[in-house]
Every structure is written in C-alpha cells, then in structure tokens.
Amino acid sequence: QMQPIIERGYLYIAQPPLFRVKKGKIERYIKDEAALEDYLLELALKDLKLTRSGNGKSTLAGERFKSVLKRTIELQKLLGVLARRRDARVIEGLAIIPGFKKDLLRSKKGLVDFLQKSLKPYLEKVHPDCAPVTFAVEPDAEHGGFQARLETKREGATVETLLHADFFSTPEFDEAIRLGGTLNVLGLPPYALRNGDEQEEIAGNLRELMVKVLAHGRKGQYIQRYKGLGEMNPDQLWKTTMDPTQRTQLQVRMDDLLEAESAFTVLMGDEVEPRREYIQQHALDARNLDI
C-alpha cells in the first residue's frame, strides 16, 4: 500500500533478541538459535574434550572440536527435515559411513554388499531401536540401475525408506553427504566425552553427542526465550531493541514486485482455497514453527 517507502529503503524491522541468558548477576542477550548454540558450545568446551571410545590417546578439543560439533548440529537439523518422508537414521548412515558412493545404484551386488555389510550393521549397533533392519534391492525401471527399499522401526512403527536416483540427486542429500564427510575426524560412534575432572560419558551416536555437549553448556544457565516484546521490561526493550547505539535492524526490500504481490495475495487474501493448497503443498517443508 505504501510502496515508495520500501522502494527508497526507508522501512526497517527492529530485531529484538530471542534469548536472555543469565548466570548469577551476569546476563547476556542472544539474537537467535544459532548464536545460542555457539555460546553454549563455547561454555561446554572450556572443559570438555572428546576421545574415541577405547582409545584415550586420540583427543579432540578446543576450536577444532567446536568446528566439528557445529557441523554435527547442521547435519542433525538437516536430518530432521529429511525425516518427514524417510528414516533420517538411514541417511545419517549413508552420510558418515566410509565407502558410500552414489554409483552403488549401478551395481546390484555392490549395493547389496554395502547395505548388508555396512549400513545394516551400523544402524543396528548405533540405533538399536530401529532394528530389525530389512531391505530389498530391485531394478529401477525409470532411471536404470537399481534401487533399495529399507524397513526400520521408529517408536514401534515400520518406516520405509526408498533409496533411488531421484533422492540421491536432491540438494538436501548432497548437503548431508558433504557434512557427513567433514565428520571423518570423529570416526564412527560410540564417542567418549571427558570433562575437566576426567569423568567419562559415552555418546552412542551423533545426536547423543550433540545433546550431551549442549546440555553441559546449559549447566547453571537460566535461559529465557522471548515469545514477544511484551515479555520485556521497558529498560530491556530499550537496551536490546530501541537504543540507536545498540540495536540491530533489518531493511525491508522488495526485489520482485510480482512475486511479493502473489505471496501476499495467497497468504493474506480473501480466497481460502489457494491458501489451503499452499499449506498442503508445503506442510512437510515448514521449519521453525513457534506454536
């Protein structure tokens, strides 16, 4: 309705912090989830190091460990998205098990050998709740070569994961493989965490490792997540969001007028049916819902 304000770059959105972290009398405002994770990793890694289970000589600590953990968190978030249509634990195995290559789909014997000797044992050892793991390899009439159907258990229900050429060519799968390849320094689980007192805690898989490290960083911290500016006191609102010397702002831009108009009409217009179709089409891709 007031396009010139946007076109001339005059419209900004204030960016209040999402979290307040307090320990004793010291408090800190943190802008978003990623910044909170980074802060918690810093706290945790002041006295945490990782050793491969049963091998106390190989350790990972400090900035190198932090870099690996950040990539682990990225991979877990991506697997959470992929899990809406398949078993993310299967994709995790493909990502971090040495020897997996996309061209396995060209050879029935190669694909069967990898599934039987590498992926199935990995899943049943690292994620015992998904056992029994069964699979079938069949010709892929559409793409040539072969495809595999894996059945696993998740909370007692059977989950089927179809591995075929279309899925292997998606950006999400490529990113999972890339992230998994950067985690080779960890080796395969289980992982042993040691704190400053040399007390050992075992993480059976990548997700457990991520959860245990972040939980260590949360110890003694009071973390408040703001759901709206009404939860802030006036002095907090000024200090974090309104003070020109401290505030962060996001400039509103309109790079594609037609696309912006179309999105606004679908999501905010009077017609219900286009909005329903949009929701049904994108429901499984939604992220960061705050309900």
Side-chain angles (χ1 to χ4, degrees), residues 183-246:
L183 303 179
N184 289 337
V185 66
L186 289 174
L188 294 178
Y191 309 110
L193 285 168
R194 292 182 182 272
N195 62 23
D197 299 325
E198 292 301 311
Q199 293 177 321
E200 185 176 84
E201 191 174 3
I202 300 298
N205 53 59
L206 283 175
R207 182 168 184 80
E208 281 187 19
L209 177 64
M210 175 190 75
V211 169
K212 288 180 183 296
V213 171
L214 291 175
H216 192 83
R218 288 176 183 270
K219 286 182 179 178
Q221 306 285 334
Y222 168 74
I223 301 175
Q224 178 184 7
R225 187 186 193 281
Y226 293 114
K227 292 187 174 67
L229 296 181
E231 295 185 38
M232 286 188 179
N233 297 326
D235 61 322
Q236 292 175 324
L237 182 60
W238 168 257
K239 181 165 59 175
T240 64
T241 310
M242 304 303 294
D243 183 351
T245 64
Q246 301 288 334

Side-chain angles (χ1 to χ4, degrees), residues 1-12 251-252 254:
Q1 302 299 312
M2 303 179 72
Q3 290 182 26
I5 292 179
I6 300 174
E7 291 169 349
R8 297 173 187 175
Y10 293 151
L11 184 60
Y12 290 80
Q251 187 182 45
V252 178
M254 190 165 50

Side-chain angles (χ1 to χ4, degrees), residues 154-171:
R154 185 167 60 197
E155 297 178 350
T158 299
V159 180
E160 182 181 83
T161 300
L162 180 61
L163 303 178
H164 52 54
D166 279 347
F167 175 57
F168 281 4
S169 63
T170 60

Side-chain angles (χ1 to χ4, degrees), residues 91-139:
I91 313 306
E92 175 193 280
L94 297 176
I96 72 171
I97 294 174
F100 170 75
K101 296 180 180 178
K102 293 182 181 181
D103 59 11
L104 284 173
L105 294 180
R106 299 176 186 172
S107 164
K108 182 175 183 179
K109 182 179 185 303
L111 182 56
V112 169
D113 284 348
F114 176 80
L115 296 175
Q116 184 66 44
K117 298 177 182 179
S118 297
L119 185 58
K120 187 176 187 291
Y122 170 87
L123 291 172
E124 293 181 342
K125 177 183 177 182
V126 176
H127 298 287
D129 57 325
C130 76
V133 178
T134 60
F135 66 86
V137 173
E138 56 196 37

Side-chain angles (χ1 to χ4, degrees), residues 23-289:
K23 185 174 185 179
K25 294 183 178 181
I26 300 174
E27 66 178 10
R28 177 171 180 166
Y29 293 94
I30 297 179
K31 64 177 183 177
D32 54 26
E33 292 273 3
L36 177 64
E37 288 168 354
D38 200 60
Y39 178 63
L40 294 176
L41 288 179
E42 282 186 19
L43 294 176
L45 297 184
K46 287 180 179 178
D47 65 345
L48 272 187
K49 61 184 178 181
L50 178 139
T51 64
R52 295 185 184 183
S53 184
N55 180 6
K57 296 179 181 179
S58 176
T59 63
L60 199 60
E63 285 299 317
R64 192 175 179 215
F65 190 17
K66 179 181 177 182
S67 176
V68 171
L69 286 169
K70 290 180 76 169
R71 294 195 295 272
T72 300
I73 291 172
E74 284 184 60
L75 178 60
Q76 291 303 312
K77 289 180 178 178
L78 181 57
L79 293 176
V81 175
L82 294 173
R84 292 161 184 170
R85 294 186 175 92
R86 54 193 63 84
D87 193 331
R89 297 167 297 182
V90 173
I91 313 306
E92 175 193 280
L94 297 176
I96 72 171
I97 294 174
F100 170 75
K101 296 180 180 178
K102 293 182 181 181
D103 59 11
L104 284 173
L105 294 180
R106 299 176 186 172
S107 164
K108 182 175 183 179
K109 182 179 185 303
L111 182 56
V112 169
D113 284 348
F114 176 80
L115 296 175
Q116 184 66 44
K117 298 177 182 179
S118 297
L119 185 58
K120 187 176 187 291
Y122 170 87
L123 291 172
E124 293 181 342
K125 177 183 177 182
V126 176
H127 298 287
D129 57 325
C130 76
V133 178
T134 60
F135 66 86
V137 173
E138 56 196 37
D140 185 343
E142 183 177 352
H143 305 97
F146 299 88
Q147 62 184 17
R149 296 180 185 274
L150 280 85
E151 288 192 351
T152 52
K153 294 292 184 181
R154 185 167 60 197
E155 297 178 350
T158 299
V159 180
E160 182 181 83
T161 300
L162 180 61
L163 303 178
H164 52 54
D166 279 347
F167 175 57
F168 281 4
S169 63
T170 60
E172 292 85 0
F173 183 76
D174 282 342
E175 181 65 5
I177 296 299
R178 184 192 71 79
L179 287 169
T182 68
L183 303 179
N184 289 337
V185 66
L186 289 174
L188 294 178
Y191 309 110
L193 285 168
R194 292 182 182 272
N195 62 23
D197 299 325
E198 292 301 311
Q199 293 177 321
E200 185 176 84
E201 191 174 3
I202 300 298
N205 53 59
L206 283 175
R207 182 168 184 80
E208 281 187 19
L209 177 64
M210 175 190 75
V211 169
K212 288 180 183 296
V213 171
L214 291 175
H216 192 83
R218 288 176 183 270
K219 286 182 179 178
Q221 306 285 334
Y222 168 74
I223 301 175
Q224 178 184 7
R225 187 186 193 281
Y226 293 114
K227 292 187 174 67
L229 296 181
E231 295 185 38
M232 286 188 179
N233 297 326
D235 61 322
Q236 292 175 324
L237 182 60
W238 168 257
K239 181 165 59 175
T240 64
T241 310
M242 304 303 294
D243 183 351
T245 64
Q246 301 288 334
R247 68 189 179 193
T248 301
Q249 300 180 106
L250 177 66
Q251 187 182 45
V252 178
R253 299 175 58 184
M254 190 165 50
D255 297 325
D256 189 325
L257 179 60
L258 292 178
E259 184 178 356
E261 179 68 22
S262 173
F264 190 88
T265 300
V266 169
L267 299 176
M268 304 294 291
D270 296 331
E271 296 293 326
V272 174
E273 191 58 33
R275 185 157 50 252
R276 180 186 294 114
E277 291 176 0
Y278 181 91
I279 292 171
Q280 291 173 340
Q281 180 181 353
H282 296 286
L284 293 178
D285 300 317
R287 304 187 194 184
N288 301 324
L289 290 181

